[in-house]
């Protein structure tokens, strides 16, 4: 540790003495290569924000090639309700020429560029930003020693940012020890040498840009968790009573699989890394057949391979959680970019009429809660439940209040019950009651649970009337669920000109776009749909309150001009006010893009708002 934090200057007043200026929040974009460890800097800043009662949201892009390449990590942290990672950066940290050239456009007017003067030269004359060159590379080598080469310059930058924003050094030091302590004292010592060198960089170069984040006066005082969506989802599965699962590695689902492989053993469970996607869902279905709530998952290409077996799960009515961490498609597509183009696959992907529940979390905290809900619904309705999360949620870090795990923890199965001769596992007038092996059934035969159509006892039947009745049964239990789902809350204007409708990771930008529009005097509301199949009740009434309904989603508007959710909503409600704002550039929605879409839709049927427009 080089020095303690400096004292505050009066809020909002620049200080000639070098004392920090108070600010509410800041957007920092770090641009370099994936091997530079900029993700580590961002993760340290995000976790520090969470431990300091600050709100935080991150955003990252990484190359899909194993050899690495240009990458960014953006952190927005501060007080208040931070709903997006920020449209523009207040600070840009550039490691190379390509970092500067590709991202200087993201720096807001009047922003600050900090660049590695060992790798690039910037002539800021006549520019609308402040440029400060710092030799990240040579200063790190000087601090750590010649053998370090360029390793550690990310930590040098972390120390520099810690000084610029008057962050709590003691907490950051603790985080560094937690992260690197397992590698030995030498690693921690060299890391701290690089950190201290950045923190102590000559003040005359940067003293005019010292800032301090204002304290969060509205903080609940409740302990916070700072994590990404995949980790929150995994913790939710454990709390939901999932103890068995199987999967096959694929980006961006793999981190859920890797964590479950480690954690399930601690709870007496098991996670199998299968030989392929078909094997993975087959293992998971075996666990479900034996009476355990099981999980499998993948991304879009893997879900395509799982679909036939998923049809068997629907016919056999087995409780199973299936997670799809969506990415850009089709085929291998954009493995490390975000898209919401698997909605139709999730609902209709299998052959035949195969109804299943489809849910979508709206932020990182909701990844935990939706896993709990998926477990409850899979058990209660004895059916597959698909969770449609996406790459943006998987890798995004947010801070939220720690849930009361003891209150929500579910006792895992299997639940073996004895049954008499009247037992029917597939009753036409009630929900299915799966009887796993080991259940005692007296006076009648055991169900066979094949992929064939069956009667109420689970025995194969080709009777036409029986197939009609069982098709109705599998469909009607989702209709029953639809009656139990709460009506979506309307945020912003309760009626008026425009209703924004979203699902999945677009929640934050849509809320911020709604807030900005309302602040500008427009009557704009927003609803977010977590239950995609079946849909929640009373959407028709909500839609009728607004002159126009814009569905915002990251998929293509297709042959007929509407995104996938918009197509479903128009088919369901036949409401011509429903229109689409879509894009497929692999990047999360900016608030400004949503606002641009709203403006452009005033004169056209659809709007594609990507920064990379069609030619």
């Amino acid at each position: 540790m080089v020095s303690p934090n400096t004292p505050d200057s009066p809020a909002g007043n620049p200080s000639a003495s070098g004392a920090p200026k108070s600010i509410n929040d800041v957007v920092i974009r770090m641009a370099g290569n994936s091997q530079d460890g900029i993700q580590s800097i961002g993760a340290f800043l995000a976790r520090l924000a969470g431990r300091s009662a600050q709100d935080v949201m991150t955003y990252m892009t990484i190359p899909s090639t194993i050899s690495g390449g240009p990458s960014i990590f953006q952190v927005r942290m501060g007080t208040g309700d931070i709903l997006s990672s920020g449209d523009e950066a207040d600070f840009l940290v550039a490691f190379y020429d390509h970092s500067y050239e590709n991202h200087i456009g993201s720096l807001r007017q009047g922003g600050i560029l900090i660049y590695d003067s060992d790798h690039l030269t910037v002539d800021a004359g006549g520019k609308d930003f402040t440029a400060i060159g710092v030799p990240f590379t040579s200063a790190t080598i000087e601090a750590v020693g010649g053998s370090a080469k360029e390793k550690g310059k990310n930590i040098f930058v972390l120390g520099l940012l810690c000084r610029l924003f008057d962050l709590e050094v003691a907490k950051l030091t603790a985080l560094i020890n937690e992260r690197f302590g397992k590698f030995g004292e030498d690693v921690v010592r060299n890391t701290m040498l690089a950190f201290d060198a950045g923190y102590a960089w000559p003040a005359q170069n940067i003293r005019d840009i010292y800032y301090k984040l204002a304290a969060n006066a509205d903080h609940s005082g409740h302990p916070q968790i700072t994590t990404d969506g995949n980790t929150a989802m995994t913790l939710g599965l454990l709390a939901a009573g999932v103890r068995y699962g199987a999967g096959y590695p694929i980006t961006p689902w793999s981190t859920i699989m890797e964590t479950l492989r480690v954690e399930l053993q601690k709870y007496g469970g098991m996670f199998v890394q299968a030989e392929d996607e078909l094997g993975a869902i087959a293992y998971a279905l075996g666990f479900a057949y034996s009476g355990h709530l099981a999980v499998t998952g993948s991304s879009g290409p893997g879900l395509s391979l799982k679909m036939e077996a998923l049809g068997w799960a629907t016919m056999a009515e087995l409780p199973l959680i299936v997670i799809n961490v969506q990415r850009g498609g089709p085929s291998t597509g954009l493995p490390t970019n975000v898209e919401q183009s698997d909605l139709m696959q999730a609902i209709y992907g299998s052959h035949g009429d195969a109804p299943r529940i489809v849910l979508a979390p709206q932020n990182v905290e909701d990844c935990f809660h939706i896993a709990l809900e998926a477990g409850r619904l899979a058990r209660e309705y004895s059916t597959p439940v698909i969770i449609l999360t996406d790459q943006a949620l998987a890798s995004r870090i947010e801070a939220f209040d720690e849930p009361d795990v003891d209150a929500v923890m579910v006792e895992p199965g299997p639940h073996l019950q004895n049954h008499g001769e009247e037992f029917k596992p597939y009753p036409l007038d009630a929900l299915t009651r799966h009887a796993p092996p080991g259940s005692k059934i007296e006076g009648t035969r055991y169900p066979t649970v094949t992929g064939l159509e069956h009667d109420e006892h689970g025995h194969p039947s080709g009777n036409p009337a029986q197939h009609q009745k069982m098709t109705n049964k599998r469909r009607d239990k989702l209709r029953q669920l639809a009656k139990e789902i709460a009506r979506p809350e309307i945020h912003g204007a309760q009626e008026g000109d425009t209703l924004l409708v979203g699902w999945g990771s677009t929640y934050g930008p849509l809320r911020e776009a709604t807030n900005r529009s309302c602040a500008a005097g427009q009557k704009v509301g927003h609803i977010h749909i977590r239950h995609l199949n079946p849909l929640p009740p009373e959407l028709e009434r909500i839609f009728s309150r607004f002159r126009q309904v814009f569905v915002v989603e990251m998929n293509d508007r297709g042959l007929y001009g509407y995104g996938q959710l918009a197509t479903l909503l128009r088919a369901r409600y036949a409401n011509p006010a429903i229109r689409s704002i879509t894009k497929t550039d692999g990047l999360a929605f900016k608030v400004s893009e949503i606002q641009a879409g709203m403006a452009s839709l005033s004169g056209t049927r659809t709007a594609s708002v990507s920064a990379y427009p069609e030619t």
Side-chain angles (χ1 to χ4, degrees):
M1 183 183 299
V2 172
S3 64
N5 292 329
T6 56
D8 284 2
S9 66
N13 293 330
S15 169
S17 66
K21 308 163 194 174
S22 180
I23 55 175
N24 289 325
D25 65 78
V26 64
V27 178
I28 305 171
R29 173 172 290 199
M30 289 154 285
N33 289 333
S34 57
Q35 304 94 329
D36 291 325
I38 57 175
Q39 291 85 5
S40 296
I41 310 175
F44 276 125
L45 292 174
R47 286 179 168 78
L48 176 65
R51 293 191 182 186
S52 304
Q54 301 282 352
D55 207 351
V56 64
M57 184 177 290
T58 69
Y59 168 75
M60 65 183 288
T61 66
I62 54 175
S64 59
T65 54
I66 295 175
S67 58
S71 174
I72 70 161
F73 198 104
Q74 183 162 305
V75 180
R76 184 180 183 187
M77 57 185 182
T79 57
D81 194 11
I82 290 180
L83 295 168
S84 74
S85 58
D87 285 6
E88 295 180 311
D90 301 304
F91 277 72
L92 172 64
V93 180
F95 284 72
Y96 306 104
D97 280 330
H98 65 73
S99 312
Y100 171 76
E101 293 166 1
N102 294 334
H103 298 283
I104 192 62
S106 68
L107 187 64
R108 68 167 173 79
Q109 188 174 4
I112 294 171
L113 166 70
I114 302 174
Y115 62 94
D116 188 347
S117 56
D118 290 323
H119 284 289
L120 71 152
T121 302
V122 175
D123 179 9
K127 303 290 192 342
D128 58 359
F129 57 82
T130 300
I132 300 173
V134 179
F136 304 160
T137 304
S138 58
T140 303
I141 293 174
E142 182 179 345
V144 180
S147 61
K149 298 182 179 179
E150 295 190 2
K151 292 180 180 177
K153 64 182 179 182
N154 61 330
I155 302 300
F156 175 91
V157 172
L158 179 65
L160 183 65
L161 292 172
C162 183
R163 182 74 179 91
L164 292 180
F165 294 99
D166 201 19
L167 303 178
E168 295 189 61
V169 174
K171 288 182 178 178
L172 256 179
T173 303
L175 286 168
I176 289 172
N177 274 288
E178 290 173 15
R179 173 72 175 79
F180 296 108
K182 60 185 177 184
F183 300 116
E185 292 182 3
D186 289 349
V187 174
V188 173
R189 183 174 61 253
N190 285 342
T191 303
M192 290 310 303
L193 286 173
F195 179 86
D196 286 349
Y199 191 92
W201 185 250
Q204 62 268 25
N205 288 354
I206 57 175
R207 61 182 301 161
D208 292 334
I209 58 171
Y210 285 164
Y211 294 91
K212 186 176 181 62
L213 295 169
N216 188 355
D218 298 328
H219 180 53
S220 64
H222 197 281
Q224 284 193 308
I225 287 179
T226 309
T227 191
D228 59 71
N230 272 6
T231 302
M233 183 81 70
T234 307
L235 296 175
L237 292 171
L238 294 172
V242 173
R243 295 294 179 268
Y244 293 90
Y248 184 73
I250 183 173
T251 301
W253 139 266
S254 294
T255 55
I256 295 179
M257 184 186 79
E258 294 298 335
T259 308
L260 286 174
R261 283 177 57 189
V262 174
E263 295 300 320
L264 283 180
Q265 297 181 54
K266 301 175 183 176
Y267 293 86
M270 177 191 300
F271 192 92
V272 178
Q273 180 176 326
E275 65 275 21
D276 56 29
E277 297 284 4
L278 303 182
I281 190 169
Y283 278 115
L285 287 171
F287 292 133
Y289 174 66
S290 66
H292 299 280
L293 178 61
V295 64
T296 187
S298 189
S299 189
L303 262 294
S304 296
L305 296 170
K306 293 180 189 292
M307 280 300 167
E308 182 178 1
L310 197 54
W312 183 83
T314 302
M315 176 63 85
E317 299 191 58
L318 290 178
L320 179 70
I321 298 176
V322 182
I323 298 171
N324 180 355
V325 189
Q326 298 171 95
R327 65 187 203 183
S331 188
T332 307
L334 300 172
T336 56
N337 289 81
V338 65
E339 207 164 274
Q340 294 178 309
S341 51
D342 295 345
L343 176 58
M344 291 296 190
Q345 180 203 44
I347 298 175
Y348 299 115
S350 295
H351 60 279
D353 293 305
R356 54 228 176 190
I357 299 169
V358 180
L359 311 175
Q362 62 190 22
N363 54 30
V364 171
E365 180 179 9
D366 198 32
C367 287
F368 176 86
H369 294 289
I370 216 155
L372 276 171
E373 184 172 2
R376 179 180 66 80
L377 295 178
R379 284 191 177 98
E380 184 175 344
Y381 290 90
S382 197
T383 191
V385 178
I386 296 180
I387 300 177
L388 276 181
T389 178
D390 62 44
Q391 185 274 341
L393 283 176
S395 59
R396 175 194 300 170
I397 297 175
E398 295 180 25
F400 54 90
D401 286 352
E402 182 180 320
D404 185 353
V405 176
D406 291 338
V408 300
M409 202 78 177
V410 176
E411 184 69 23
H415 301 287
L416 304 177
Q417 294 178 287
N418 295 335
H419 303 286
E421 59 182 347
E422 78 289 349
F423 175 66
K424 296 177 181 177
Y426 299 97
L428 289 171
D429 57 354
L431 292 173
T432 292
R433 296 172 292 168
H434 176 59
S439 301
K440 185 179 291 184
I441 303 176
E442 295 181 344
T444 186
R445 292 180 296 169
Y446 275 86
T448 55
V449 196
T450 73
L452 291 168
E453 187 57 279
H454 50 71
D455 60 18
E456 292 178 280
H457 293 278
H459 301 150
S461 169
N463 184 294
Q466 189 70 37
H467 179 55
Q468 180 67 63
K469 291 176 183 177
M470 282 296 170
T471 300
N472 296 348
K473 167 185 165 59
R474 291 187 287 269
R475 174 240 295 153
D476 286 345
K477 67 179 178 182
L478 267 64
R479 297 179 69 180
Q480 179 179 332
L481 167 61
K483 297 175 183 176
E484 302 172 8
I485 301 172
R487 192 190 78 161
E489 169 202 2
I490 306 176
H491 176 75
Q494 298 300 297
E495 59 183 11
D497 188 66
T498 303
L499 178 70
L500 297 175
V501 180
W503 63 282
S505 63
T506 59
Y507 171 82
L510 281 169
R511 282 279 158 128
E512 192 164 328
T514 303
N515 292 343
R516 290 186 192 180
S517 298
C518 290
Q522 301 173 26
K523 291 188 174 181
V524 175
H526 166 227
I527 62 169
H528 218 69
I529 299 179
R530 296 172 72 249
H531 300 83
L532 295 163
N533 195 53
L535 289 166
E538 299 190 42
L539 289 181
E540 192 169 16
R541 289 188 180 185
I542 296 174
F543 294 163
S544 69
R545 294 181 179 186
F546 293 86
R547 186 178 68 85
Q548 48 194 359
V549 178
F550 297 158
V551 183
V552 182
E553 49 191 328
M554 292 178 285
N555 52 50
D556 186 51
R557 64 174 185 260
L559 294 178
Y560 306 112
Y562 303 100
Q564 296 189 16
L565 178 60
T567 298
L568 290 173
L569 294 176
R570 287 180 67 91
R572 169 65 180 84
Y573 300 106
N575 185 339
I578 298 172
R579 291 183 288 169
S580 277
I581 298 175
T582 64
K583 70 168 191 170
T584 56
D585 58 11
L587 305 173
F589 263 109
K590 293 180 179 178
V591 176
S592 58
E593 290 175 329
I594 296 170
Q595 291 181 305
M598 294 166 62
S600 64
L601 270 186
S602 61
T604 60
R605 290 176 58 83
T606 59
S608 179
V609 295
S610 169
Y612 306 92
E614 300 172 22
T615 57

PDB file of all heavy atoms in Angstrom, residues 52-63:
ATOM      1  N   SER A  52     -18.505  -1.797  -1.600  1.00  0.00           N
ATOM      2  CA  SER A  52     -18.518  -0.415  -1.115  1.00  0.00           C
ATOM      3  C   SER A  52     -19.918   0.182  -1.215  1.00  0.00           C
ATOM      4  O   SER A  52     -20.066   1.402  -1.232  1.00  0.00           O
ATOM      5  CB  SER A  52     -17.528   0.433  -1.933  1.00  0.00           C
ATOM      6  OG  SER A  52     -16.237  -0.129  -1.899  1.00  0.00           O
ATOM      7  N   ALA A  53     -20.943  -0.689  -1.283  1.00  0.00           N
ATOM      8  CA  ALA A  53     -22.340  -0.252  -1.334  1.00  0.00           C
ATOM      9  C   ALA A  53     -22.612   0.605  -2.560  1.00  0.00           C
ATOM     10  O   ALA A  53     -23.482   1.477  -2.535  1.00  0.00           O
ATOM     11  CB  ALA A  53     -22.722   0.505  -0.061  1.00  0.00           C
ATOM     12  N   GLN A  54     -21.857   0.392  -3.646  1.00  0.00           N
ATOM     13  CA  GLN A  54     -22.103   1.093  -4.898  1.00  0.00           C
ATOM     14  C   GLN A  54     -22.863   0.168  -5.841  1.00  0.00           C
ATOM     15  O   GLN A  54     -22.793  -1.061  -5.724  1.00  0.00           O
ATOM     16  CB  GLN A  54     -20.779   1.499  -5.558  1.00  0.00           C
ATOM     17  CG  GLN A  54     -19.897   2.398  -4.721  1.00  0.00           C
ATOM     18  CD  GLN A  54     -20.356   3.842  -4.713  1.00  0.00           C
ATOM     19  OE1 GLN A  54     -21.268   4.200  -5.455  1.00  0.00           O
ATOM     20  NE2 GLN A  54     -19.735   4.663  -3.884  1.00  0.00           N
ATOM     21  N   ASP A  55     -23.579   0.764  -6.793  1.00  0.00           N
ATOM     22  CA  ASP A  55     -24.213  -0.034  -7.840  1.00  0.00           C
ATOM     23  C   ASP A  55     -23.216  -0.181  -8.987  1.00  0.00           C
ATOM     24  O   ASP A  55     -22.355   0.690  -9.185  1.00  0.00           O
ATOM     25  CB  ASP A  55     -25.481   0.659  -8.327  1.00  0.00           C
ATOM     26  CG  ASP A  55     -26.493  -0.346  -8.868  1.00  0.00           C
ATOM     27  OD1 ASP A  55     -26.110  -1.526  -9.009  1.00  0.00           O
ATOM     28  OD2 ASP A  55     -27.634   0.035  -9.148  1.00  0.00           O
ATOM     29  N   VAL A  56     -23.322  -1.253  -9.749  1.00  0.00           N
ATOM     30  CA  VAL A  56     -22.350  -1.493 -10.804  1.00  0.00           C
ATOM     31  C   VAL A  56     -22.960  -2.350 -11.905  1.00  0.00           C
ATOM     32  O   VAL A  56     -23.832  -3.187 -11.647  1.00  0.00           O
ATOM     33  CB  VAL A  56     -21.082  -2.183 -10.232  1.00  0.00           C
ATOM     34  CG1 VAL A  56     -21.407  -3.567  -9.693  1.00  0.00           C
ATOM     35  CG2 VAL A  56     -19.981  -2.283 -11.280  1.00  0.00           C
ATOM     36  N   MET A  57     -22.541  -2.113 -13.131  1.00  0.00           N
ATOM     37  CA  MET A  57     -22.897  -2.981 -14.254  1.00  0.00           C
ATOM     38  C   MET A  57     -21.736  -2.975 -15.234  1.00  0.00           C
ATOM     39  O   MET A  57     -21.142  -1.926 -15.498  1.00  0.00           O
ATOM     40  CB  MET A  57     -24.173  -2.521 -14.948  1.00  0.00           C
ATOM     41  CG  MET A  57     -24.619  -3.470 -16.068  1.00  0.00           C
ATOM     42  SD  MET A  57     -26.164  -3.003 -16.864  1.00  0.00           S
ATOM     43  CE  MET A  57     -27.333  -3.330 -15.557  1.00  0.00           C
ATOM     44  N   THR A  58     -21.405  -4.132 -15.758  1.00  0.00           N
ATOM     45  CA  THR A  58     -20.276  -4.233 -16.675  1.00  0.00           C
ATOM     46  C   THR A  58     -20.733  -4.725 -18.045  1.00  0.00           C
ATOM     47  O   THR A  58     -21.837  -5.233 -18.212  1.00  0.00           O
ATOM     48  CB  THR A  58     -19.207  -5.207 -16.135  1.00  0.00           C
ATOM     49  OG1 THR A  58     -19.729  -6.540 -16.168  1.00  0.00           O
ATOM     50  CG2 THR A  58     -18.796  -4.858 -14.727  1.00  0.00           C
ATOM     51  N   TYR A  59     -19.835  -4.583 -18.986  1.00  0.00           N
ATOM     52  CA  TYR A  59     -20.093  -5.034 -20.356  1.00  0.00           C
ATOM     53  C   TYR A  59     -18.755  -5.395 -20.967  1.00  0.00           C
ATOM     54  O   TYR A  59     -17.756  -4.697 -20.744  1.00  0.00           O
ATOM     55  CB  TYR A  59     -20.751  -3.903 -21.157  1.00  0.00           C
ATOM     56  CG  TYR A  59     -20.815  -4.132 -22.648  1.00  0.00           C
ATOM     57  CD1 TYR A  59     -21.746  -5.021 -23.182  1.00  0.00           C
ATOM     58  CD2 TYR A  59     -19.963  -3.459 -23.515  1.00  0.00           C
ATOM     59  CE1 TYR A  59     -21.818  -5.237 -24.546  1.00  0.00           C
ATOM     60  CE2 TYR A  59     -20.030  -3.660 -24.882  1.00  0.00           C
ATOM     61  CZ  TYR A  59     -20.950  -4.551 -25.396  1.00  0.00           C
ATOM     62  OH  TYR A  59     -21.022  -4.763 -26.746  1.00  0.00           O
ATOM     63  N   MET A  60     -18.695  -6.497 -21.692  1.00  0.00           N
ATOM     64  CA  MET A  60     -17.421  -6.900 -22.269  1.00  0.00           C
ATOM     65  C   MET A  60     -17.622  -7.515 -23.643  1.00  0.00           C
ATOM     66  O   MET A  60     -18.677  -8.059 -23.955  1.00  0.00           O
ATOM     67  CB  MET A  60     -16.715  -7.912 -21.355  1.00  0.00           C
ATOM     68  CG  MET A  60     -17.443  -9.239 -21.203  1.00  0.00           C
ATOM     69  SD  MET A  60     -16.638 -10.380 -20.051  1.00  0.00           S
ATOM     70  CE  MET A  60     -15.212 -10.848 -21.028  1.00  0.00           C
ATOM     71  N   THR A  61     -16.587  -7.394 -24.459  1.00  0.00           N
ATOM     72  CA  THR A  61     -16.537  -8.136 -25.712  1.00  0.00           C
ATOM     73  C   THR A  61     -15.197  -8.851 -25.745  1.00  0.00           C
ATOM     74  O   THR A  61     -14.167  -8.305 -25.339  1.00  0.00           O
ATOM     75  CB  THR A  61     -16.650  -7.229 -26.946  1.00  0.00           C
ATOM     76  OG1 THR A  61     -15.497  -6.379 -27.022  1.00  0.00           O
ATOM     77  CG2 THR A  61     -17.906  -6.383 -26.895  1.00  0.00           C
ATOM     78  N   ILE A  62     -15.221 -10.083 -26.193  1.00  0.00           N
ATOM     79  CA  ILE A  62     -13.995 -10.852 -26.321  1.00  0.00           C
ATOM     80  C   ILE A  62     -14.003 -11.540 -27.675  1.00  0.00           C
ATOM     81  O   ILE A  62     -15.060 -11.848 -28.225  1.00  0.00           O
ATOM     82  CB  ILE A  62     -13.852 -11.904 -25.204  1.00  0.00           C
ATOM     83  CG1 ILE A  62     -15.104 -12.806 -25.151  1.00  0.00           C
ATOM     84  CG2 ILE A  62     -13.616 -11.257 -23.868  1.00  0.00           C
ATOM     85  CD1 ILE A  62     -14.990 -13.921 -24.159  1.00  0.00           C
ATOM     86  N   PRO A  63     -12.822 -11.795 -28.248  1.00  0.00           N
ATOM     87  CA  PRO A  63     -12.782 -12.478 -29.540  1.00  0.00           C
ATOM     88  C   PRO A  63     -13.166 -13.944 -29.378  1.00  0.00           C
ATOM     89  O   PRO A  63     -12.966 -14.538 -28.316  1.00  0.00           O
ATOM     90  CB  PRO A  63     -11.327 -12.317 -29.974  1.00  0.00           C
ATOM     91  CG  PRO A  63     -10.571 -12.168 -28.694  1.00  0.00           C
ATOM     92  CD  PRO A  63     -11.487 -11.432 -27.760  1.00  0.00           C
TER      93      PRO A  63
END
